[in-house]
Amino acid sequence: MPELNPRLSDKSVFPDPVYKETVLRPLFDGAKTHHVDGFRAIDRAHLVMLTETGILDKKQASAIAGALEAIDREVDPSKLEYTGEVEDFFFLIEKELKARLGPDVAGRLHTSRSRNDIDHTLFKLGLKQRIDALMVKARALLSAMIDTAEREKATLVVAYTHGQPAQPSTFGHYLSAAIEVLIRDIERFEEARKIVDLSPMGAAAITTSGFPIDRQRVAALLGFAAPLRNSYSCIAASDYITSTYSAIELMFLHLGRLIQDFQFWTAFEVGQIYVPNAFVQISSIMPQKRNPVPIEHMRLLASQTMGRARTVLGVIHNTPFTDMNDSEGETQSMGYEAFVAAGRVLDLLAAFVGAIKIDPERVADNIRRSCITITELADSLVRIEGLSFREAHEIAATVAKAVVAAGGGLAKDGYGPFLDAFRHSTGREPSFGRDKFEEIVSPEHFVAVRDRFGGPAPEPMAEALSVYRNKAAAFEAAAQEHAGHEAKAAKELGEKFKALVEAL
């Protein structure tokens, strides 16, 4: 009959050299790079729980606590080289415990737990930390965007549809649209974090344990909101991974669209945005060039972030609903690179948004040449002259064609074509003269009369900015609550563990 695990009975067995180098060493290196603090916290929380429930007596627990503290003090994980003597980082710690305490006492720390629940707890601790750090940067970007929208709430811009000038708006109104998307993206991260914030510890391999463990206590000591209820879900339901990386993918897909607009708006032919020299590189051969290359880097990094997040989702696709390596060490380490690139985008975009300005002369010229206030002329003809919108639209279209053909502007050159078109269509004179016509077709008037909910006029913009600031404050308050909860848990765990060490 073959042995179930020959390595348990023959301590001299080493892994195949190729397996060691292609699988075990990278996993070991990933653990020592990313998860040492998590391993320490899990060992300590589990030990405290075993002691409090009476599964371990205090003498055994104190001996284990003292040995764990000695290992932390004496073993520098960054200097460890994988030899193949043990399978992974977990077994390295267990080996160190056995060397200090003997196999009987050392082996008691693993009572009622498995690498299955340990691993997913490690990964959740790692993701929570990275989500929280990334959201600090996302909130900073949100604040920068709100501040810029406030500063530029009356600054005229050309709004584009289908790549063509469409209507005048304000830069503040444009940014507000992106602010609302970013708010929803942060909310998606908050929802993902709620899934990450449920502890798998106590699930053991699959079905929990016959020992009287206290899963709630371990979750609390590790700073989780609660234990994840179903023990099979703890080791099989990798939706904490997919929810997190879906949130990353969507946030940077959306930010990439904003970044692409900035690229378009800085083009020489558009020139709507002025980028300060601090964000400009010169050409090595063409002296006239001002290249706003940070925009390109943001676009590149946003795409890298999205691509890395999507890769993680692709790895999980069509995997079995069970504990499996596809969701574990190497996938986690690969995913962390998405967080690194994401943080670079958020930092750079926050600085960029706060620094750029709108070029009012270019905006005014583009508005003049594109006749984009003509919609308000049609609307005004309906309101003032009582025309149907279709008739008003045809009059306005005729005026726009004439002005564009002449290379002029509506305010200066549109009144004559307007009179001709109005008379031809209605058989009468309009009730207003040139001064009123020039007011109607001005971009300032266009914005001012669009004072409905969500519009660019001052009143709805002021209301919207207030809502955004309140939302940003709520995000900050929630983050402070999370940080306070985890700091309190870490303090309690430290105190409980120290008491065990001092009881030696």
Side-chain angles (χ1 to χ4, degrees):
M1 173 181 260
E3 295 176 278
L4 289 176
N5 188 344
R7 296 194 65 191
L8 291 178
S9 59
D10 184 358
K11 300 303 182 184
S12 67
V13 174
F14 277 73
D16 175 87
V18 176
Y19 177 52
K20 171 188 168 185
E21 294 303 318
T22 59
V23 175
L24 297 180
R25 183 188 295 277
L27 287 172
F28 183 88
D29 290 345
K32 77 175 187 180
T33 300
H34 299 299
H35 298 301
V36 170
D37 289 341
F39 268 115
R40 288 172 176 166
I42 289 169
D43 280 346
R44 294 180 180 203
H46 189 69
L47 179 62
V48 169
M49 182 275 293
L50 292 177
T51 308
E52 291 179 348
T53 56
I55 297 172
L56 287 187
D57 65 43
K58 289 189 176 180
K59 182 178 179 182
Q60 294 168 331
S62 293
I64 294 170
L68 287 174
E69 186 183 55
I71 292 169
D72 294 345
R73 186 174 59 250
E74 297 167 11
V75 178
D76 182 354
S78 67
K79 296 180 180 178
L80 294 175
E81 290 293 332
Y82 186 68
T83 64
E85 294 177 72
V86 293
E87 188 169 306
D88 58 17
F89 193 86
F90 165 81
F91 279 118
L92 173 69
I93 301 302
E94 190 167 86
K95 178 187 175 185
E96 291 288 336
L97 279 176
K98 288 178 180 178
R100 287 165 168 78
L101 302 173
D104 179 58
V105 175
R108 294 179 185 273
L109 178 59
H110 201 54
T111 304
S112 75
R113 69 178 189 175
S114 164
R115 277 187 298 177
N116 292 2
D117 58 346
I118 291 173
D119 282 348
H120 286 287
T121 305
L122 278 175
F123 303 147
K124 284 191 167 187
L125 289 171
L127 280 180
K128 268 209 302 181
Q129 180 187 50
R130 286 167 173 82
I131 290 171
D132 289 347
L134 192 66
M135 288 304 97
V136 170
K137 296 174 183 292
R139 293 194 302 274
L141 172 60
L142 178 61
S143 178
M145 289 173 68
I146 294 172
D147 288 346
T148 303
E150 181 83 51
R151 185 187 76 214
E152 307 287 353
K153 61 188 176 185
T155 303
L156 292 170
V157 294
V158 175
Y160 289 80
T161 61
H162 305 285
Q164 302 302 316
Q167 290 184 338
S169 186
T170 70
F171 191 35
H173 187 250
Y174 170 86
L175 281 179
S176 293
I179 286 167
E180 291 188 3
V181 177
L182 181 57
I183 286 172
R184 291 191 287 270
D185 284 330
I186 293 174
E187 288 172 339
R188 273 184 276 270
F189 264 101
E190 287 194 331
E191 290 304 308
R193 192 189 189 281
K194 289 177 184 177
I195 301 171
V196 176
D197 203 20
L198 298 173
S199 171
M201 283 304 295
I206 299 174
T207 57
T208 73
S209 170
F211 292 93
I213 59 173
D214 187 342
R215 294 190 62 208
Q216 285 79 4
R217 180 61 171 151
V218 176
L221 288 170
L222 290 173
F224 286 100
L228 181 59
R229 181 178 297 278
N230 184 279
S231 62
Y232 196 101
S233 180
C234 290
I235 59 94
S238 298
D239 61 323
Y240 73 93
I241 302 171
T242 55
S243 61
T244 297
Y245 287 97
S246 293
I248 292 177
E249 182 181 19
L250 284 175
M251 174 176 280
F252 288 87
L253 184 156
H254 297 149
L255 289 177
R257 300 181 68 201
L258 176 67
I259 292 164
Q260 179 61 14
D261 263 12
F262 288 160
Q263 182 81 72
F264 174 67
W265 285 13
T266 57
F268 179 80
E269 294 79 4
V270 177
Q272 185 156 260
I273 287 179
Y274 174 77
V275 179
N277 288 338
F279 289 93
V280 169
Q281 288 182 217
I282 62 171
S283 167
S284 65
I285 189 173
M286 296 169 282
Q288 86 285 0
K289 292 289 294 297
R290 295 183 81 251
N291 299 322
V293 294
I295 303 175
E296 295 174 66
H297 286 290
M298 287 188 286
R299 186 174 62 190
L300 163 68
L301 290 168
S303 295
Q304 286 184 359
T305 301
M306 196 188 92
R308 286 166 174 156
R310 181 169 292 181
T311 298
V312 174
L313 298 174
V315 170
I316 305 299
H317 178 248
N318 276 352
T319 54
F321 190 63
T322 183
D323 183 65
M324 38 85 189
N325 284 315
D326 308 63
S327 66
E328 298 185 2
E330 294 205 71
T331 296
Q332 299 290 334
S333 295
M334 177 181 66
Y336 296 158
E337 292 302 312
F339 282 91
V340 174
R344 293 168 66 191
V345 176
L346 295 175
D347 285 344
L348 183 54
L349 187 54
F352 185 82
V353 165
I356 57 176
K357 304 288 185 183
I358 298 299
D359 185 335
E361 292 183 4
R362 290 299 297 273
V363 170
D365 188 51
N366 288 341
I367 290 174
R368 178 189 63 78
R369 292 189 301 114
S370 59
C371 290
I372 58 174
T373 59
I374 199 71
T375 302
E376 181 52 35
L377 176 61
D379 288 350
S380 294
L381 292 177
V382 174
R383 291 194 297 268
I384 297 172
E385 301 293 344
L387 305 184
S388 72
F389 182 76
R390 184 50 54 207
E391 185 178 14
H393 183 279
E394 290 174 357
I395 292 171
T398 301
V399 174
K401 289 177 183 177
V403 171
V404 170
L410 271 176
K412 180 182 177 182
D413 306 301
Y415 186 63
F418 163 69
L419 286 178
D420 292 341
F422 188 88
R423 290 165 179 160
H424 180 268
S425 180
T426 65
R428 62 181 176 87
E429 296 292 315
S431 63
F432 57 85
R434 177 181 288 276
D435 289 347
K436 183 65 175 177
F437 174 85
E438 290 180 358
E439 176 191 340
I440 287 171
V441 299
S442 71
E444 292 81 6
H445 177 76
F446 189 103
V447 169
V449 298
R450 279 154 176 78
D451 57 359
R452 304 287 78 82
F453 176 81
E459 185 175 346
M461 273 299 300
E463 188 268 342
L465 289 165
S466 175
V467 170
Y468 305 151
R469 290 199 184 277
N470 289 339
K471 195 66 179 177
F475 287 148
E476 192 63 42
Q480 294 300 321
E481 184 177 352
H482 292 324
H485 172 77
E486 296 193 358
K488 181 179 178 182
K491 181 181 179 183
E492 183 180 10
L493 176 57
E495 290 171 348
K496 293 293 183 180
F497 183 79
K498 182 180 179 182
L500 286 176
V501 173
E502 291 176 346
L504 275 173

